[in-house]
């Protein structure tokens, strides 16, 4: 039954103990575990929901044994002590070597995107596999994509704008800074259309 399924999956993944990397497989597994905990589909897990997962444990002479064990674990996972566990808090508990910033990055990488984000990423992928020279239509498409990066609409992409978009894809700041230095040919502190096109062709691999 459902409670047995929850119990069978309450095992910390090996990678949670060994390192800071959260694989997509581990992330999705924990998503499923969290969904099982969250029996009313509220997006958070309260103590009563969490306690139900422990009903499959062998009984002990003390009537309160399960509640004490569950309470101890729940308190450790409920990082902000608000009485509910979020999925982010579950990740932090299962991957103690990850910082909150690491967890946020993986969540941004693995969580489903909005339809607008998905459309933009598909367009990026299509343009990334173009031949050495873009067609006129592809040039227009690329300018439109660049407009999504150019959040202040000044016609160029600065380092913060590039970092902001790449962070949503799980691309680290150091990598983005290296790209920016390489493709900001005139050292202006921003990428114009030509420089953005060269970066896109040379580095984009989504």
């Amino acid at each position: 039954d459902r409670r047995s399924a929850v119990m069978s999956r309450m095992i910390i993944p090996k990678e949670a103990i060994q390192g800071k990397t959260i694989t997509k497989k581990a992330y999705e597994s924990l998503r499923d575990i969290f969904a099982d905990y969250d029996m009313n589909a509220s997006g958070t897990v309260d103590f009563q929901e969490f306690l139900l997962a422990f009903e499959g444990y062998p009984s002990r002479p003390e009537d309160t044994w399960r509640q004490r064990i569950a309470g101890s674990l729940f308190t450790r996972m409920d990082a902000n002590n608000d009485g509910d566990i979020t999925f982010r808090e579950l990740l932090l508990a299962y991957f103690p070597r990850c910082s909150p910033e690491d967890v946020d990055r993986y969540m941004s990488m693995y969580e489903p995107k909005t339809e607008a984000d998905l459309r933009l990423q598909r367009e990026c992928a299509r343009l990334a596999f173009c031949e050495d020279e873009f067609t006129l239509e592809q040039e227009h498409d690329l300018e439109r994509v660049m407009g999504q990066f150019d959040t202040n609409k000044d016609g160029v992409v600065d380092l913060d704008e590039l970092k902001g978009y790449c962070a949503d894809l799980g691309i680290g700041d150091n990598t983005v800074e290296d790209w920016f230095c390489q493709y900001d040919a005139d050292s202006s502190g921003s990428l114009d259309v030509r420089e953005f096109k060269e970066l896109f062709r040379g580095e984009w691999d989504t």
Side-chain angles (χ1 to χ4, degrees), residues 53-67:
F54 286 78
E55 291 194 0
Y57 268 97
S59 60
R60 291 287 180 92
E62 315 95 287
D63 293 338
T64 60
W65 181 81
R66 292 190 188 92
Q67 187 157 345

Side-chain angles (χ1 to χ4, degrees), residues 35-52:
D36 283 333
Y37 286 166
D38 183 16
M39 295 181 181
N40 64 0
S42 66
T44 60
V45 176
D46 63 27
F47 181 66
Q48 291 305 314
E49 290 173 317
F50 191 75
L51 184 60
L52 287 174

Side-chain angles (χ1 to χ4, degrees), residues 85-137:
I85 295 174
T86 63
F87 180 59
R88 182 175 183 269
E89 288 174 325
L90 184 70
L91 287 173
L92 287 167
Y94 269 64
F95 291 86
R97 295 186 62 188
C98 283
S99 68
E101 292 74 23
D102 291 331
V103 168
D104 289 341
R105 179 166 57 87
Y106 283 111
M107 291 186 72
S108 178
M109 189 187 314
Y110 295 143
E111 282 297 298
K113 306 293 183 182
T114 66
E115 183 56 35
D117 289 336
L118 292 173
R119 283 199 301 270
L120 179 59
Q121 288 183 29
R122 286 194 293 268
E123 185 67 15
C124 288
R126 184 179 71 80
L127 289 171
F129 287 100
C130 291
E131 299 298 328
D132 289 340
E133 294 299 327
F134 292 112
T135 67
L136 182 60
E137 180 183 0

Side-chain angles (χ1 to χ4, degrees), residues 111-164:
E111 282 297 298
K113 306 293 183 182
T114 66
E115 183 56 35
D117 289 336
L118 292 173
R119 283 199 301 270
L120 179 59
Q121 288 183 29
R122 286 194 293 268
E123 185 67 15
C124 288
R126 184 179 71 80
L127 289 171
F129 287 100
C130 291
E131 299 298 328
D132 289 340
E133 294 299 327
F134 292 112
T135 67
L136 182 60
E137 180 183 0
Q138 290 164 347
E139 291 278 3
H140 290 159
D141 287 344
L142 183 60
E143 290 176 11
R144 182 172 57 80
V145 169
M146 181 177 170
Q148 300 297 316
F149 287 73
D150 178 21
T151 55
N152 66 2
K153 306 305 178 186
D154 63 353
V156 294
V157 176
D158 63 33
L159 179 58
D160 287 339
E161 289 171 329
L162 189 62
K163 282 182 177 180

